[in-house]
Amino acid sequence: GAGVSQSPSNKVTEKGKDVELRCDPISGHTALYWYRQSLGQGLEFLIYFQGNSAPDKSGLPSDRFSAERTGGSVSTLTIQRTQQEDSAVYLCASSLGGGFHEQYFGPGTRLTVT
Amino acid sequence: GENVEQHPSTLSVQEGDSAVIKCTYSDSASNYFPWYKQELGKRPQLIIDIRSNVGEKKDQRIAVTLNKTAKHFSLHITETQPEDSAVYFCAVRAGNEKLTFGTGTRLTIIP
């Protein structure tokens, strides 16, 4: 079946512009995560959605970052007034839920802020 | 919140030798411990996981051991091959809390 998909795969934007990154999780997956990965670095947690619970936003680095998940499915990560340090690969992942369920990652969106 | 430490950050081993990566965690309620492998330019993928009611799990050349008392778990790769070269991430979860990742280990297999 279809895996986690993300769009766009690559995004180049000018400093100060807003960007929206999209994630389509696997159908039926109630948990959805956003991570940021800079070149050669680890997985920086951004935000976690689990079912109808309030999202865990503890990883968002600043108020320029926000995310929504509509209808328990598609999620959008928005970065306002982009800065050069926002350049990274943004990974989305989904799972059937918490507990012992495997987390599946999308291919990522490579964001470059010039 | 959960704190996960992973060591070493880089590891080089001769092809055919074994590699061991260790993670420690802080939350005693944690009950799920997966390991992910990320090859260069690709997305992380699950390679093995263990639950808190099990002390060891094997899958061919890879194994994971868990010491709940000491709050640490380790990934063991035996008879390493060039295709094992990648970044490995441990992770920890307690119930429905978010999955918390370690900082990663870059493993290089020397032919």
Side-chain angles (χ1 to χ4, degrees), chain A residues 3-4 33 35 37 40-43 45 48 50 56 58 91 95 97-107, chain B residues 31-32 36 38 41-46 49-52 87 89 93 95-104 106:
Chain A
V4 178
Y33 298 77
Y35 298 92
Q37 189 171 38
Q41 300 301 307
L43 297 164
F45 165 76
Y48 168 46
Q50 171 54 50
D56 179 349
S58 60
L91 289 164
S95 69
F100 308 125
H101 295 294
E102 178 177 354
Q103 188 166 287
Y104 295 85
F105 284 83
Chain B
N31 59 356
Y32 178 58
Y36 283 77
Q38 186 176 28
K42 298 190 175 180
R43 72 192 81 180
Q45 290 191 301
L46 179 73
D49 58 13
I50 193 169
R51 304 182 184 188
S52 59
V87 178
F89 294 96
R93 177 190 285 143
N96 281 330
E97 298 294 313
K98 70 175 184 286
L99 197 61
T100 300
F101 282 88
T103 49
R106 183 174 302 277

Side-chain angles (χ1 to χ4, degrees), chain A residues 4-6 21-35 45-51 53-57 67-77 91-98 102-106, chain B residues 93 96 98-99:
Chain A
V4 178
S5 60
Q6 293 185 243
L21 311 180
R22 178 187 168 106
C23 172
D24 284 84
I26 294 172
S27 178
H29 280 196
T30 59
L32 187 148
Y33 298 77
W34 282 99
Y35 298 92
F45 165 76
L46 298 178
I47 190 167
Y48 168 46
F49 297 90
Q50 171 54 50
S53 302
D56 179 349
K57 303 179 181 181
E68 289 186 343
R69 188 175 187 194
T70 53
S73 180
V74 172
S75 178
T76 303
L77 176 69
L91 289 164
C92 174
S94 73
S95 69
L96 272 171
E102 178 177 354
Q103 188 166 287
Y104 295 85
F105 284 83
Chain B
R93 177 190 285 143
N96 281 330
K98 70 175 184 286
L99 197 61

Side-chain angles (χ1 to χ4, degrees), chain B residues 40-105:
Chain B
L40 190 62
K42 298 190 175 180
R43 72 192 81 180
Q45 290 191 301
L46 179 73
I47 54 171
I48 194 168
D49 58 13
I50 193 169
R51 304 182 184 188
S52 59
N53 60 344
V54 176
E56 182 176 3
K57 183 176 179 181
K58 286 185 179 180
D59 183 2
Q60 298 182 355
R61 296 187 298 107
I62 60 173
V64 56
T65 58
L66 171 65
N67 184 327
K68 282 193 65 180
T69 303
K71 289 191 276 190
H72 66 71
F73 59 111
S74 299
L75 177 71
H76 305 255
I77 307 174
T78 59
E79 300 172 18
T80 52
Q81 300 171 3
E83 55 264 37
D84 295 329
S85 292
V87 178
Y88 292 81
F89 294 96
C90 65
V92 176
R93 177 190 285 143
N96 281 330
E97 298 294 313
K98 70 175 184 286
L99 197 61
T100 300
F101 282 88
T103 49
T105 296

